[in-house]
Amino acid sequence: MSMDIELADLLASLRSEIGRARLEAADQDVKFRIDSIDLELQVSVEKSAEANTGMKFWVVSLGGKAGAKSGQTHTVRMTLTAEDAATGQKVRTGDDVSDLLGAG
């Protein structure tokens, strides 16, 4: 069974996960700033039959179309920076690592 998803859906899910991590970190003492997010994806390109849609990019999962259609996949590399829409500041997420810091 193919697990391919549209590139736009993948980026929306990534945005949602960063937002969730940010909310979960709101009351944490230790925060991590996201300087960059590096993605390397195998994608296949499909021209849409609909007039105004243009092309769709599908992220190919391992074990999916990559083996059968490797000649039709392309490697896409992206570097993203997570920014707060209101302030333009880099997003900070966190985790409670106080136990680890005190263990030394």
Side-chain angles (χ1 to χ4, degrees), residues 34-99:
I34 300 176
D35 287 322
S36 68
I37 303 164
D38 297 319
L39 300 175
E40 182 171 321
L41 310 166
Q42 292 293 315
V43 299
S44 61
V45 182
E46 175 183 294
K47 187 173 183 178
S48 177
E50 299 171 24
N52 296 328
T53 309
M55 301 175 101
K56 289 188 177 184
F57 291 83
W58 295 90
V59 179
V60 180
S61 63
L62 292 177
K65 293 181 185 176
K69 297 186 178 181
S70 60
Q72 298 177 23
T73 62
H74 308 276
T75 300
V76 175
R77 291 180 186 89
M78 291 185 240
T79 300
L80 310 173
T81 301
E83 294 181 352
D84 183 290
T87 66
Q89 298 295 313
K90 291 182 180 176
V91 169
R92 293 181 182 269
T93 63
D95 196 1
D96 186 357
V97 295
S98 56
D99 289 341

